[in-house]
């Protein structure tokens, strides 16, 4: 169940998720597996707190994929996570 957020909290969530997407891309460019995992794990927790369980679960899948397969073989799950986060951003932007 998604928690009903105020306009200000929605904007904070949009900004935070947008920064996290940039951090994910940056970690991938730098081939920084630890940084990527830290970002995804933190994002997962924040999404669970606001009730965005589907996106949080996508974070968990990507996190497990990176841990099990490494950066070179987890591309599909990372791209799926990024698409999920972009959809979340679009949904929140429409309601802002």
């Amino acid at each position: 169940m998604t928690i009903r957020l105020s306009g200000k909290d929605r904007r904070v969530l949009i900004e935070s998720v947008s920064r996290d997407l940039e951090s994910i891309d940056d970690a991938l460019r730098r081939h920084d597996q630890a940084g990527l995992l830290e970002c995804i794990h933190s994002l997962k927790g924040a999404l669970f707190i606001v009730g965005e369980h589907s996106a949080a679960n996508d974070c968990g899948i990507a996190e497990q994929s990176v841990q099990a397969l490494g950066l070179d073989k987890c591309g599909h799950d990372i791209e799926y996570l990024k698409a999920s986060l972009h959809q979340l951003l679009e949904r929140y932007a429409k309601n802002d």
Side-chain angles (χ1 to χ4, degrees):
M1 176 179 176
T2 303
I3 296 173
R4 187 171 173 87
L5 300 175
S6 69
K8 179 182 177 184
D9 289 339
R10 278 194 310 276
R11 285 187 296 279
V12 168
L13 181 67
I14 289 168
E15 290 171 12
S16 178
V17 171
S18 295
R19 278 192 309 269
D20 287 334
L21 276 164
E22 290 173 10
S23 295
I24 288 169
D25 285 337
D26 184 54
L28 289 169
R29 272 191 304 276
R30 293 183 293 111
H31 209 72
D32 178 6
Q33 183 167 323
L36 179 65
L37 286 169
E38 182 179 326
C39 178
I40 292 172
H41 185 77
S42 175
L43 178 58
K44 178 177 68 174
L47 291 170
F48 270 125
I49 288 170
V50 297
E52 290 292 343
H53 294 199
S54 178
N57 285 328
D58 293 340
C59 287
I61 291 167
E63 187 177 24
Q64 289 175 351
S65 179
V66 172
Q67 290 170 335
L69 303 173
L71 286 179
D72 295 330
K73 296 183 180 176
C74 68
H76 173 74
D77 292 323
I78 295 296
E79 290 306 314
Y80 187 87
L81 170 61
K82 289 169 52 177
S84 173
L85 295 174
H86 282 291
Q87 289 175 352
L88 181 138
L89 288 174
E90 288 175 18
R91 184 166 40 88
Y92 273 85
K94 285 180 185 176
N95 293 322
D96 199 13

